[in-house]
Amino acid sequence: MAEAGDRFRTGELTVIGRVSTASNVTLVCEVNTTGDAESDPIRVVYKPIRGEQPLWDFPDGTLAGREVASYLISEALGWGVIPETILREGPFGTGMVQRWIMGVDNHTEQGNRLDLIDLCPAGAVPDGFREVLRATDQEGNEVSLIHADDPRLQRMAVLDVLLNNADRKGGHALEGADGQVYGVDHGICLHTEPKLRTVLWGWVGQPICDGLIADVAAFASNLPGALADLLSAHITDAEIDALTARTHRLLAEPVMPAPRTARPIPWPAF
């Protein structure tokens, strides 16, 4: 396991593909083995900083740095929502490298199963799901945007509140083959101003479970000091202060908040 971790951090990256739908350069890579033919290659996502498009409302730091900071926060909470994410060198310079998640396939020849975040006919919300909004699809049909009423997904929604995630699309929540639910694409998080945009609004006004709040309380007590020092390599002091304020706000009122912006859903939603 230690050897695999070392390869993840320092092994040579070989580009095997590119995510063409991403707005910034997003490459799929494999980490070369160390000459051991029996070693499984490590698949990763690599986003070089030089491939980032500047954002006027996120002028400080880098998107890669924000992804790493988001991972550090998820780990400090003990939630493991975000796959292991580091900043390291690659074939196109320094960038974010994140472990690839092998997802489940809900659409097979044996039948279809709804994804964690999906669409259904308007008002026909199945058991175990929550409706977020109603809209019209490309064919003119009225549909409901829904997400699973799943504690693994709710934990991600709470993390997004703390991260002030401005881009939680449906495609950024992955159901892993290992049974975990993972969140990816955290490049526009941790702003000082309210920017939460998410498709996970189904729990608005609902109390957050005691277990998650206990984790947030422990995180709040540990945030000053070493953790803040780690985060300061990637985000500003003002952004760390804003993270602290969001954390204490959630502890003071432990319910899922309502939207505070005029555009609470990212576009596209998937």
Side-chain angles (χ1 to χ4, degrees):
M1 183 66 70
E3 181 184 346
D6 291 341
R7 282 198 286 133
F8 174 68
R9 292 171 178 81
T10 62
E12 182 181 356
L13 300 181
T14 299
V15 178
I16 61 172
R18 178 174 180 175
V19 180
S20 59
T21 55
S23 55
N24 297 285
V25 175
T26 302
L27 304 172
V28 181
C29 298
E30 286 186 345
V31 182
N32 290 354
T33 62
T34 56
D36 183 355
E38 297 183 357
S39 295
D40 293 329
I42 301 173
R43 182 162 294 186
V44 300
V45 174
Y46 165 52
K47 299 180 182 179
I49 291 173
R50 65 195 292 186
E52 296 179 359
Q53 296 187 32
L55 298 174
W56 67 268
D57 55 342
F58 282 82
D60 299 309
T62 64
L63 305 187
R66 292 178 185 279
E67 296 229 38
V68 175
S70 298
Y71 164 74
L72 292 173
I73 292 166
S74 171
E75 289 301 290
L77 285 158
W79 291 353
V81 172
I82 301 175
E84 186 176 7
T85 309
I86 61 174
L87 203 65
R88 56 154 290 182
E89 288 300 312
F92 300 102
T94 303
M96 181 224 78
V97 172
Q98 183 176 83
R99 289 187 183 267
W100 179 268
I101 296 301
M102 184 63 67
V104 299
D105 184 2
N106 291 325
H107 310 283
T108 67
E109 293 181 358
Q110 287 71 39
N112 289 333
R113 184 168 70 94
L114 287 171
D115 291 327
L116 291 171
I117 302 162
D118 217 322
L119 298 173
C120 71
V125 180
D127 291 341
F129 282 78
R130 290 176 176 261
E131 185 178 52
V132 177
L133 57 78
R134 297 187 185 184
T136 303
D137 67 13
Q138 293 178 336
E139 286 74 39
N141 302 310
E142 190 177 5
V143 295
S144 292
L145 174 64
I146 59 175
H147 65 66
D149 191 7
D150 186 318
R152 301 171 301 171
L153 200 60
Q154 188 174 24
R155 183 173 58 184
M156 180 185 297
V158 176
L159 177 63
D160 284 342
V161 172
L162 297 177
L163 294 179
N164 194 19
N165 190 350
D167 195 36
R168 175 63 72 200
K169 294 182 171 71
H172 296 171
L174 309 178
E175 187 173 8
D178 60 359
Q180 301 300 316
V181 171
Y182 296 97
V184 297
D185 285 313
H186 297 89
I188 50 175
C189 290
L190 297 165
H191 203 285
T192 56
E193 300 173 5
K195 287 185 177 289
L196 182 60
R197 289 192 292 270
T198 176
V199 294
L200 300 178
W201 288 116
W203 292 287
V204 167
Q206 298 294 308
I208 299 170
C209 74
D210 292 342
L212 293 180
I213 289 300
D215 292 339
V216 174
F219 173 80
S221 66
N222 292 328
L223 182 54
L227 178 56
D229 290 342
L230 282 175
L231 294 174
S232 67
H234 307 291
I235 59 177
T236 67
D237 290 345
E239 288 164 340
I240 295 172
D241 291 342
L243 167 65
T244 302
R246 289 192 297 273
T247 302
H248 288 290
R249 188 181 305 120
L250 198 63
L251 292 173
E253 189 174 356
V255 299
M256 291 300 293
R260 298 177 59 190
T261 63
R263 189 164 64 89
I265 303 288
W267 187 258
F270 289 91

